[in-house]
């Protein structure tokens, strides 16, 4: 028998921690998990799941208008924020229960409290209880970053946005990344006046330039305003509860809420990592090797807390690889090449592989194919919004090294296409595939 209380103790019951826990338990390990908030982590509780449900709700604003062009006598409709908010939160609670049930079914012990490290193989719970484990996995995820400036305490983050008492009439969003653009689209469709404020001069850094420029163009057409090169100076709260945002290089903006979406940082503060000898990088992320092992042999980490690729499916892959490698006798290393991603903006973006700029810098000579078109549905609805598909091909090998799309259902289409890019298929392979007509996806095999 082991001298430890558990074979594995996991701190954090998010996507990566839950996957690692149940897989390790299925391999016969004695596993415990500590979660100080709610089982499910950022994605399920206050991230991609509730946000995607809000995106679905926002899409009805345009769908109801478009329906009239398709013969439906749709009256003017009123949006009820309270009803959507409560339905979304109820779904989150349902999913939280399922995650807890998964742990219970795999005989994983769940401690609903905070845990901190007090040594390489020991943790302390908030009630003072000390527990030993042969191995410890840190899966505490990330946390919204809020820069410090006068009045920053009046801003909210993506953690609080799902719980708003009422729909704000005026929203200022700080940041230019995927979270900022997604919530800009959501609130704009709900009827709020939205302004994105960015201290830099571009949105969606890391995405293909043509795709992000198209989103900017469409967003402005929809009524979303942008302020670039405008750093926050202060937020002033007035007697009526409204806010005035003071910016550099820009006039002040009045708002009902200010949502800070300036990125996320690894959630490592106060965990006792330094005292246990775990090395962190300059951003506070746990430094791990390809096996997810930290500088302390008994301590591992997966997910956003390692700040590699901050995506839920990546955290799940890392949790699976850790459990299979350490407890299942199946050494597994996660391949981070060609990881697909999406921005659930209005319209959404899907991307996999290299951007045009990255491909030219790395490969030298590339071929670029684009299709700039109006979806059939938009044509009949009288909507001028255009989709853009872009394929990047290595000139030397004919291999497709990047796909970038903006338009209706782009992420749904991109997932299948990402398989082809991951498999290293060529432009000729795409050309040899018969088109599925009429569909938007067929543009991918008709690019000339």
């Amino acid at each position: 028998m082991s001298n430890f209380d558990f074979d594995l103790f996991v701190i954090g019951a998010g996507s990566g921690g839950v996957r690692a826990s149940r897989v390790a338990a299925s391999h016969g390990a004695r596993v415990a998990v500590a979660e100080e908030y709610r089982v499910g982590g950022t994605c399920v509780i206050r991230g991609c799941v509730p946000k995607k449900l809000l995106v679905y709700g926002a899409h009805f604003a345009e769908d109801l208008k478009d329906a009239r062009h398709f013969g439906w006598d749709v009256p003017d409709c009123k949006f009820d924020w309270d009803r959507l908010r409560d339905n979304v939160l109820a779904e989150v609670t349902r999913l939280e229960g399922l995650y807890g049930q998964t742990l219970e079914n795999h005989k994983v012990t769940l401690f609903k409290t905070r845990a901190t490290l007090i040594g390489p193989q020991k943790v302390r719970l908030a009630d003072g209880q000390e527990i030993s484990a042969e191995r410890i996995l840190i899966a505490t995820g990330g946390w919204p970053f809020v820069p410090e400036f006068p009045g920053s305490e009046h801003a909210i983050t993506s953690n609080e946005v799902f719980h708003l008492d009422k729909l704000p009439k005026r929203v200022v969003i700080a940041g230019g990344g995927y979270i900022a653009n997604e919530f800009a689209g959501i609130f704009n469709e709900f009827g709020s006046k939205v302004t994105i404020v960015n201290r830099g001069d571009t949105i969606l850094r890391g995405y293909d330039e043509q795709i992000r420029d198209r989103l900017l163009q469409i967003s402005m057409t929809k009524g979303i305003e942008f302020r670039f090169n405008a750093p926050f100076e202060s937020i002033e709260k007035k007697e009526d509860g409204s806010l005035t945002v003071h910016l550099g290089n820009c006039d002040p903006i009045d708002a009902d809420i200010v949502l800070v979406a300036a990125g996320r940082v690894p959630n490592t503060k106060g965990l006792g990592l330094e005292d246990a000898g775990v090395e962190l990088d300059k951003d506070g992320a746990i430094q791990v090797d390809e096996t997810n092992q930290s500088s302390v042999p008994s301590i591992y980490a997966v997910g956003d807390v390692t700040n590699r690729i901050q995506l839920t499916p990546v955290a799940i892959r890392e949790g699976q690889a850790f459990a299979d490698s350490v407890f299942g006798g199946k050494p597994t290393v996660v391949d981070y090449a060609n990881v697909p991603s999406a921005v659930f903006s209005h319209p959404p973006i899907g991307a996999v592989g290299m951007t045009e700029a990255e491909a030219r810098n790395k490969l030298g000579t590339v071929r670029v194919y684009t299709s700039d078109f109006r979806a059939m549905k938009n044509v009949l609805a009288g909507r001028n919004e255009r989709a853009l598909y872009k394929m990047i091909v290595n000139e030397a090998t004919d291999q497709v090294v990047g796909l970038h799309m903006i338009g209706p259902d782009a992420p749904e289409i991109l997932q299948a296409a990402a398989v082809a890019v991951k498999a290293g298929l060529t432009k000729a392979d795409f050309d040899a595939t018969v088109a599925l007509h009429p569909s938007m996806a067929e543009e991918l095999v008709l690019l000339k």
Side-chain angles (χ1 to χ4, degrees):
M1 291 291 293
S2 170
N3 294 324
F4 298 96
D5 297 321
F6 294 96
D7 300 315
L8 173 64
F9 194 99
V10 181
I11 302 180
S15 298
V18 168
R19 175 60 65 90
S21 298
R22 73 167 183 81
V23 174
S26 70
H27 289 315
R30 297 172 302 141
V31 183
V33 180
E35 173 54 58
E36 64 178 320
Y37 183 51
R38 299 176 69 180
V39 175
T42 295
C43 179
V44 172
I45 305 301
R46 54 194 172 214
C48 41
V49 169
K51 178 183 62 185
K52 185 65 180 294
L53 292 173
L54 292 187
V55 169
Y56 282 135
H59 269 294
F60 282 104
E62 292 182 355
D63 289 344
L64 289 168
K65 294 178 182 177
D66 291 350
R68 295 168 179 167
H69 294 271
F70 289 84
W72 292 95
D73 187 11
V74 180
D76 290 334
C77 298
K78 179 183 178 182
F79 172 66
D80 187 335
W81 163 257
D82 292 0
R83 192 186 312 166
L84 176 61
R85 177 202 61 206
D86 292 348
N87 287 343
V88 168
L89 294 179
E91 175 63 9
V92 166
T93 298
R94 185 187 73 84
L95 292 173
E96 179 189 12
L98 292 178
Y99 270 67
Q101 185 178 333
T102 294
L103 293 175
E104 183 179 346
N105 290 344
H106 285 81
K107 296 181 172 54
V108 174
T109 301
L110 174 62
F111 295 98
K112 293 186 176 181
T113 186
R114 181 174 178 81
T116 55
L117 291 172
I118 54 174
Q121 294 174 302
K122 186 171 285 190
V123 301
R124 179 184 290 129
L125 304 184
D127 63 3
Q129 181 181 358
E130 296 183 1
I131 298 173
S132 64
E134 185 174 3
R135 293 179 178 85
I136 296 171
L137 176 68
I138 310 298
T140 48
W143 198 254
F145 170 70
V146 179
E148 292 186 8
F149 55 83
S152 61
E153 68 273 12
H154 301 310
I156 66 171
T157 70
S158 56
N159 285 355
E160 299 83 35
V161 72
F162 302 104
H163 302 271
L164 294 175
D165 290 334
K166 61 181 180 180
L167 182 67
K169 294 181 179 179
R170 303 163 300 177
V171 180
V172 170
I173 302 177
Y178 72 95
I179 297 175
N181 283 278
E182 287 172 340
F183 278 109
I186 289 168
F187 282 115
N188 183 66
E189 295 298 332
F190 289 159
S192 302
K193 175 62 181 174
V194 179
T195 304
I196 288 183
V197 176
N198 193 356
R199 65 180 180 179
D201 59 2
T202 187
I203 63 171
L204 295 177
R205 282 199 315 267
Y207 282 84
D208 190 86
E209 185 175 354
Q210 278 185 276
I211 300 297
R212 66 193 191 203
D213 285 350
R214 178 59 58 88
L215 178 61
L216 177 62
Q217 172 196 344
I218 294 174
S219 297
M220 293 174 65
T221 300
K222 291 179 182 290
I224 298 173
E225 295 188 0
F226 290 81
R227 300 288 185 272
F228 291 109
N229 298 310
F232 269 59
E233 294 183 344
S234 65
I235 299 176
E236 173 190 355
K237 188 168 185 177
K238 299 181 178 179
E239 291 185 2
D240 63 359
S242 66
L243 306 170
T244 298
V245 181
H246 297 277
L247 307 166
N249 307 316
C250 185
D251 293 335
I253 304 174
D254 292 325
D256 298 302
I257 68 164
V258 176
L259 171 61
V260 174
R264 297 175 62 82
V265 294
N267 188 19
T268 54
K269 288 185 178 179
L271 289 179
L273 292 165
E274 296 92 338
D275 294 337
V278 177
E279 292 183 6
L280 308 178
D281 69 12
K282 60 181 179 60
D283 297 318
I286 298 175
Q287 295 185 292
V288 294
D289 61 17
E290 64 176 12
T291 68
N292 301 296
Q293 189 175 45
S294 76
S295 56
V296 178
S298 59
I299 298 176
Y300 296 73
V302 298
D304 292 0
V305 76
T306 66
N307 205 23
R308 286 174 284 188
I309 298 180
Q310 293 187 359
L311 292 173
T312 295
V314 172
I316 291 172
R317 284 290 179 99
E318 291 171 352
Q320 178 90 38
F322 159 78
D324 283 342
S325 298
V326 175
F327 297 101
K330 298 184 292 184
T332 306
V333 175
V334 176
D335 181 2
Y336 295 97
N338 293 318
V339 173
S341 65
V343 181
F344 293 102
S345 46
H346 285 72
I349 291 170
V352 65
M354 289 185 275
T355 65
E356 180 181 351
E358 289 170 342
R360 292 191 186 281
N361 288 337
K362 184 174 182 178
L363 304 176
T365 306
V366 298
R367 300 196 308 272
V368 178
Y369 301 87
T370 60
S371 178
D372 191 334
F373 64 98
R374 270 206 299 170
M376 183 185 296
K377 178 173 178 281
N378 285 349
V379 173
L380 189 61
R383 194 175 294 279
N384 291 324
E385 185 178 301
R386 300 182 68 86
L388 176 63
Y389 292 4
K390 185 171 182 178
M391 176 182 287
I392 316 299
V393 178
N394 185 343
E395 175 71 45
T397 64
D398 197 44
Q399 182 180 349
V400 177
V401 295
L403 280 176
H404 309 275
M405 307 162 61
I406 180 170
D409 298 320
E412 308 292 340
I413 299 168
L414 191 279
Q415 176 66 87
V419 176
V421 177
K422 183 71 174 178
L425 299 188
T426 64
K427 179 64 167 63
D429 292 320
F430 277 78
D431 293 343
T433 303
V434 176
L436 195 161
H437 180 77
S439 71
M440 293 179 291
E442 70 178 313
E443 295 295 325
L444 291 176
V445 299
L446 299 175
L447 291 167
K448 301 297 181 185

